[in-house]
Amino acid sequence: LLATFLRFYHLDWTEYKLDEANISRLALEMARHGKVPVWGLGSSVGIYNGALSEWLLAIPYAASDNPLVATGFVAALNVLAVAMTYAFTRKVAGPTAGLIAALLFAVAPWAVINSRKLWAQDLLPPFVIAYVWSAYRAFIGNKPWSLIVHVLALSACIQLHYSALTMVFLSAFYILVFW
């Protein structure tokens, strides 16, 4: 509830500049005109990001062309990430640890601020938690089918932001250590 309040309180105060407008334009064109983007926005180093963020944001833009609806969608995904953090940490370390982890994530200032923006990397949290949880299930919990979820979550993270490429090395480390 705290995560929801902090992420949705005065959603209309959200910063909205050129990147947010461009990602909104691409998502709205997909939702309204069926123009499916192959690439996302250009990055600061000159290469284009993946288009998963535009595909995901096409969901709220299919319902409304108001950017506050899309911002609310991002905030809702980030609230889901807090709940996932609680569930995962509770499973691994117990209910007290789960509550502490979820509370810290719920009130972390940058987590709150960035969960209210229309940047591709701000869609990462639920996919990162899915990546970590599926790694735990696949490698430590000995549930090989979770490797499928792990690879899909990793792929989604990379599509959202290339900084997630570092997670490929982490997955390779998991394979070396636990398999």
Side-chain angles (χ1 to χ4, degrees):
L1 291 173
L2 183 59
T4 302
F5 173 76
L6 291 173
R7 282 154 180 80
F8 281 91
Y9 180 73
H10 277 293
L11 208 53
D12 55 326
W13 291 355
T14 301
E15 181 181 50
Y16 196 83
K17 297 186 293 191
L18 184 60
D19 282 347
E20 293 85 354
N22 285 333
I23 199 169
S24 293
R25 179 184 48 79
L26 290 170
L28 190 58
E29 286 177 357
M30 181 177 174
R32 297 294 163 96
H33 306 294
K35 292 176 68 176
V36 179
V38 178
W39 296 105
L41 300 180
S43 70
S44 57
V45 294
I47 57 174
Y48 286 95
N49 289 303
L52 183 59
S53 57
E54 287 80 4
W55 298 349
L56 289 171
L57 289 173
I59 296 168
Y61 277 120
S64 172
D65 60 1
N66 186 341
L68 280 179
V69 175
T71 304
F73 178 77
V74 174
L77 285 177
N78 279 272
V79 169
L80 174 65
V82 172
M84 291 169 68
T85 299
Y86 169 75
F88 172 67
T89 309
R90 182 173 183 257
K91 171 96 172 142
V92 173
T96 303
L99 185 61
I100 291 169
L103 280 172
L104 289 172
F105 191 8
V107 301
W110 285 113
V112 172
I113 290 168
N114 288 321
S115 67
R116 302 165 52 92
K117 297 176 67 85
L118 295 180
W119 281 358
Q121 59 268 32
D122 298 332
L123 293 163
L124 276 170
F127 296 100
V128 171
I129 301 299
Y131 167 83
V132 171
W133 199 340
S134 59
Y136 176 81
R137 289 181 54 84
F139 299 111
I140 297 171
N142 212 13
K143 307 238 186 281
W145 66 269
S146 293
L147 203 51
I148 295 168
V149 176
H150 182 72
V151 170
L152 290 173
L154 175 60
S155 299
C157 290
I158 293 168
Q159 272 282 312
L160 289 170
H161 199 265
Y162 290 129
S163 63
L165 282 169
T166 58
M167 294 161 61
V168 171
F169 299 108
L170 186 57
S171 292
F173 176 75
Y174 291 153
I175 290 169
L176 289 173
V177 171
F178 293 107
W179 232 338

